Amino acid sequence: MVFIRRSAGRAGATKVQLAERRGGRNVIVEHIGTAHDDAELAVLMKVAQERLHPGQDTLDLGLAGVPGAPARAAGAITSKRSALLWEVLTSAYARLGFELLGDEAFKQLVLARLVEPTSKADSLRVLDEIGVPHASLRTIFRALGRAQERDYRGQIATACFAHAAAHGDLTLVLYDVTTLYFEAEHEDDLRKVGYSKERRVDPQIVVGLLVDRGGFPLEITCWEGNKAETATILPTVRAFQQRHGVADMVVVADAGMLSASNLTALDQAGLGFIVGSRQSKAPADLESHFRWHGDAFTDGQLIDTLTPRHARAASENDPRQRSEPVWDPQRHPKSWRAVWAYSAKRAARDGRTLTAQENRAKAVVAGEKAARTPRFVKTHAGTTVLDEAALARARRLAGLKGYVTNIPGSVMPAAEVIGSYHDLWQVEASFRMSKSDLRARPIFHHDHDAIEAHLTVVVTALAVARHLQAVTGLSIKKIVRTLRPLQEITVTLAGHEHLAADPITPPAQHILDATNHPSPK
């Protein structure tokens, strides 16, 4: 017969064990734990009772001798909550200045998305599971309406700017766009089928995100699903400037934003820019280098030169001159500064890609592969042939990467231009966090205001996640996974409530130290 055995240990501790009778002796089957007070004893007794197999008799444990405990009951657990997790999240929310909204339901919606991204309605289940009292579902949905009516996004953007200005560097900002699709069959004035970065054919929206060089969000904009990427950067940057009165900064974007009108507009606004250049521009930009040095490059070589501002503009770089010109806006009004870098590692990667593309092209030419026409295949006299000239040009440019800017070399050296551009991975990382960790996609809302409110919730959650990542060095998923299991338990014994808590693990202590939280006693 199985029964629970209590034995007094050192320093007044009480062991709770499972044992059974074997050959006239009590044999310990499992050690449940050691209690140091009545509350811990009640919890361990509860666990021990649950471990007993159904149908087996439980002996009277004689708990009447335990102060405050009933004779045959171990007390009742009346509540559980992930107190540490919620304290860390709410503290970060407050430190970013988001409490200025004065909307508890909106805060719960944002922080629940950090704990477990799910639908708005299911967020209540998440809050219940971590023991947080919450607003009703109707109030939660009303918070979305208030977010639009009271311009929460504008207030959040102001708070984010203040935080970034105090803790980061706003002389350089990063911009990129992504697409978010909908579980919908039909288009409307916002949700439209367009070029999808996820190669989907669902109605979508285009989202622009401006972040600081650490990936902390500063401005988010929403556009029709068929909006061209190049048409989003100027309105987003101008909205950021007007909101905060910023005049002097550098905007970094990828090659998708490289349009003559965009660069001219940024320059006329007094803003610096660094954008990626397309490899196809290398032969013209590097004509002088190819004439004097051929295809020879050294690993890490930088070439600081000029690139025409418009496709139809004549080059101001004279290939007859061996040395590259130093860009000056007054001397070269038809050109921008171009920086080209060569990497042996990139060249090897490009070479492998080109070889794979060449093999596919040869398979199509030989009739071995019936597929859409791949790169390096052309039709000549009604016959598909390998475009050897295009392939040779591509191999000649392998390993090169270009950057276009309006910042003089005296202000920003070529290596710094490249380093600033490489910070773009931060905005890409923020998009990945929004899409995966915070599950901004797919969107199930269909009303325009509700979609905008959803994005406000997501960008607010992204700001909290980015802040916590910056101070702890851990992703929001790791923080939640570390703190969520640490429970604060309320046990009722003889009408009195007692608190018990899981011990603080070393990873949890690291998070508390990094976020300046005192360890609970």
Side-chain angles (χ1 to χ4, degrees):
M1 183 172 59
V2 180
F3 64 99
I4 297 175
R5 175 186 180 190
R6 276 177 40 208
S7 59
R10 289 178 298 176
T14 302
K15 297 180 180 178
V16 178
Q17 302 167 327
L18 293 183
E20 65 178 347
R21 196 78 173 173
R22 294 178 187 171
R25 297 177 57 194
N26 295 333
V27 179
I28 297 174
V29 177
E30 181 180 359
H31 176 73
I32 302 299
T34 301
H36 299 276
D37 55 36
D38 295 342
E40 290 183 2
L41 175 60
V43 174
L44 292 177
M45 295 294 290
K46 182 74 172 178
V47 173
Q49 292 282 3
E50 293 173 352
R51 296 282 178 88
L52 293 174
H53 297 293
Q56 291 182 322
D57 296 327
T58 303
L59 294 183
D60 187 351
L61 302 174
L63 287 180
V66 178
R72 298 182 58 88
I77 297 176
T78 55
S79 70
K80 295 180 181 180
R81 62 190 300 258
S82 300
L84 275 182
L85 172 61
W86 193 247
E87 287 171 13
V88 167
L89 294 181
T90 54
S91 175
Y93 187 91
R95 287 182 184 182
L96 291 174
F98 298 161
E99 289 287 5
L100 63 88
L101 300 177
D103 192 327
E104 188 67 19
F106 180 82
K107 179 174 77 172
Q108 291 171 355
L109 198 54
V110 168
L111 300 186
R113 180 162 290 274
L114 289 167
V115 176
E116 184 181 330
T118 185
S119 67
K120 308 298 185 297
D122 197 39
S123 295
L124 303 190
R125 188 260 312 163
V126 176
L127 294 169
D128 283 334
E129 288 183 358
I130 62 174
V132 175
H134 56 74
S136 66
L137 181 58
R138 171 172 284 190
T139 303
I140 289 289
F141 278 111
R142 283 176 177 169
L144 294 177
R146 291 193 296 272
Q148 286 301 100
E149 295 166 5
R150 302 176 186 177
D151 188 26
Y152 283 3
R153 190 182 301 175
Q155 297 179 64
I156 291 294
T158 299
C160 285
F161 178 83
H163 175 80
H167 298 86
D169 176 15
L170 288 179
T171 59
L172 183 143
V173 294
L174 316 170
Y175 180 77
D176 203 356
V177 299
T178 192
T179 54
L180 299 177
Y181 69 88
F182 291 77
E183 296 289 344
E185 297 181 4
H186 305 292
E187 297 178 292
D188 53 32
D189 62 338
L190 178 64
R191 301 176 299 169
K192 294 183 180 296
V193 176
Y195 171 73
S196 171
K197 291 181 177 290
E198 302 161 29
R199 294 181 172 84
R200 301 183 68 95
V201 293
D202 307 277
Q204 64 180 21
I205 58 173
V206 174
V207 177
L209 182 63
L210 194 71
V211 304
D212 70 8
R213 64 193 315 157
F216 187 76
L218 300 171
E219 192 84 31
I220 189 170
T221 51
C222 175
W223 311 92
E224 299 85 355
N226 58 359
K227 187 85 168 180
E229 291 184 3
T230 53
T232 66
I233 183 171
L234 287 175
T236 303
V237 171
R238 284 170 177 161
F240 177 76
Q241 283 187 290
Q242 292 170 5
R243 190 190 304 277
H244 308 297
V246 177
D248 185 20
M249 65 181 184
V250 177
V251 181
V252 182
D254 68 10
M257 305 301 152
L258 183 59
S259 74
S261 59
N262 274 350
L263 301 189
T264 299
L266 289 171
D267 186 65
Q268 290 176 348
L271 298 173
F273 63 77
I274 301 172
V275 297
S277 185
R278 297 181 178 88
Q279 201 176 57
S280 59
K281 293 181 176 291
D285 291 359
L286 300 177
E287 185 178 2
S288 177
H289 177 89
F290 284 123
R291 175 174 179 175
W292 293 97
H293 305 283
D295 298 345
F297 294 94
T298 58
D299 188 26
Q301 183 175 355
L302 301 179
I303 302 174
D304 211 329
T305 186
L306 310 180
T307 188
R309 293 192 180 192
H310 304 277
R312 296 182 298 275
S315 174
E316 295 181 299
N317 187 353
D318 186 355
R320 293 173 297 180
Q321 301 294 321
R322 186 171 186 140
S323 60
E324 300 289 346
V326 177
W327 179 76
D328 181 274
Q330 304 302 322
R331 293 174 50 212
H332 306 107
K334 298 180 181 179
S335 302
W336 299 120
R337 181 186 177 197
V339 176
W340 287 89
Y342 178 83
S343 163
K345 184 177 180 180
R346 185 187 298 115
R349 184 174 62 248
D350 290 349
R352 290 191 295 270
T353 301
L354 290 170
T355 297
Q357 292 174 334
E358 179 184 4
N359 291 338
R360 283 197 295 270
K362 288 179 176 179
V364 170
V365 170
E368 300 171 359
K369 193 171 185 179
R372 62 181 182 180
T373 304
R375 189 182 182 188
F376 306 128
V377 171
K378 67 179 182 178
T379 302
H380 179 71
T383 304
T384 56
V385 296
L386 180 67
D387 191 343
E388 296 182 357
L391 179 60
R393 283 195 302 270
R395 289 197 181 279
R396 189 185 193 195
L397 304 177
L400 289 170
K401 173 66 179 175
Y403 313 85
V404 178
T405 181
N406 64 342
I407 306 172
S410 58
V411 175
M412 184 177 287
E416 190 175 342
V417 170
I418 296 171
S420 297
Y421 182 85
H422 287 175
D423 283 339
L424 270 179
W425 73 269
Q426 292 283 9
V427 69
E428 294 168 357
S430 290
F431 272 137
R432 284 195 298 273
M433 290 174 66
S434 299
K435 289 185 172 184
S436 56
D437 293 358
L438 305 180
R439 293 187 192 172
R441 59 176 184 183
I443 303 177
F444 295 93
H445 298 291
H446 61 275
D447 179 76
H448 191 147
D449 283 347
I451 294 169
E452 294 280 8
H454 170 75
L455 291 178
T456 301
V457 171
V458 170
V459 76
T460 308
L462 175 62
V464 176
R466 272 297 195 176
H467 167 67
L468 287 174
Q469 180 175 320
V471 298
T472 65
L474 302 173
S475 69
I476 188 64
K477 291 178 68 174
K478 186 73 176 288
I479 292 172
V480 172
R481 192 161 57 241
T482 301
L483 297 182
R484 187 172 184 175
L486 302 182
Q487 300 273 313
E488 180 183 273
I489 303 171
T490 303
V491 182
T492 301
L493 290 170
H496 298 282
E497 288 189 346
H498 301 269
L499 288 179
D502 289 308
I504 305 299
T505 62
Q509 188 62 56
H510 164 74
I511 295 171
L512 295 179
D513 292 341
T515 54
N516 297 318
H517 274 76
S519 299
K521 297 180 180 179

